[in-house]
Amino acid sequence: MTETAAESRMVFQIYIRATADQVWQAITETEFRRQYFHGSTIESDFRPGSPLRSVSPDGELWGDDIVLECEPPHLLSHSWRSLWDPEAVDEPASRVTWRIEPQDGGVCKLTVVHDQLEESPATARGVSGGWAFIISGLKSVLETGEPLATPPS
């Protein structure tokens, strides 16, 4: 991860032995997402301007966001509000961008950028440790069929 205080931007990259379509499915389909994203679902038609909702395993609305850009299977950008966190719920939306780039040898580079956090310090604190676990879990599910055991404490 790299983070610059002036921009409040977090960048995470990982290489995954999977096709771009497989990585895209892992990001956009609930059955995959539940395995690596704290059991949450994802609901959207992924058209720019459409809602993108994330719901906890208990039915709590964790994210009520908007799709900003979508170019399957290479790019998804959406707003981000941390509705599960009472300290962050009233902050302005930030942005998350998922970029999938096929590489030689059946591998894709996944880059996740979480930015526009300048006015959302509680969100930045809340997600800074979580993204590495999320994308590592995504990689684990795609490569082994098994999620990571539990999030780090």
Side-chain angles (χ1 to χ4, degrees), residues 51-72:
L52 187 148
R53 291 188 178 89
S54 176
V55 179
S56 78
D58 297 332
E60 178 184 350
L61 185 63
W62 277 354
D64 190 12
D65 301 304
I66 302 294
V67 175
L68 303 172
E69 292 180 79
C70 186
E71 299 171 14

Side-chain angles (χ1 to χ4, degrees), residues 39-55:
S40 67
T41 62
I42 189 166
E43 303 166 5
S44 184
D45 64 12
F46 298 101
R47 290 183 297 182
S50 295
L52 187 148
R53 291 188 178 89
S54 176
V55 179

